Amino acid sequence: MYKFLLPFFTLAFLLTACGGGGSSKVECDKEYWDGTVGTCLPVGWIVIDRETLRQRGVPDETLTAFRSEESVSGQFPSISITQERLTSKIDAKSYSEASIRSVSTLPGYTLVDSPSVKIDGEEVAMHIFSAQPVENEPARRFYQVSTISGDMGYTVTASAPFFVEKDLEDAIKFILESATFEAPAEG
């Protein structure tokens, strides 16, 4: 799994490097569903088109990515969703725990928090940590949720500056907690 996640962290740096406020309740501005993955994006978050991802060398395992329209400390916080085919049967909680273990070996890894969240009815951890996966880049804060759907494993990862204001953190958590791999009900 570490081999799978390392390209993702490189992607996170590519997306955030391209580029505060008071407290407010985060609300859904637009629903996102691409046939495989969905979430709810608050105001100020956009979908990064496939062509842009391809030009930046993003691995094929990346299904989609989002970024904030507002930079923070010269960086655009970003979220990407990756998938991998599972080689054996595993439950969502075990997959989430394996994902946490795999990134805990990153350089500069420090656990910030690991609250439980429900994604498609399955309880998993929202793994919040800081790390410096790229040597000459500053340490970053990451928010990560990993779960399964069918025979696929999915990881939703946000990358943000090391110090995160509450409004940004609330928006990131909202997007991650809204993640779904079940098609929305018709009508």
Side-chain angles (χ1 to χ4, degrees), residues 22-27 42 45 143 164-177:
S23 179
S24 64
K25 183 177 177 343
V26 180
E27 295 180 357
W45 284 82
Y143 299 76
V164 180
E165 290 189 15
K166 183 172 178 4
D167 285 353
L168 175 59
E169 181 171 67
D170 289 348
I172 288 170
K173 288 179 176 180
F174 179 79
I175 296 168
L176 269 66
E177 290 171 357

Side-chain angles (χ1 to χ4, degrees), residues 86 89-96 119-120 122 124 146-154 181:
L86 301 174
K89 186 135 178 86
I90 187 171
D91 61 78
K93 187 172 184 175
S94 297
Y95 186 77
S96 176
I119 305 295
D120 295 337
E122 297 289 333
V124 295
S146 296
T147 191
I148 62 159
S149 181
D151 64 348
M152 301 299 282
Y154 296 93
F181 304 93

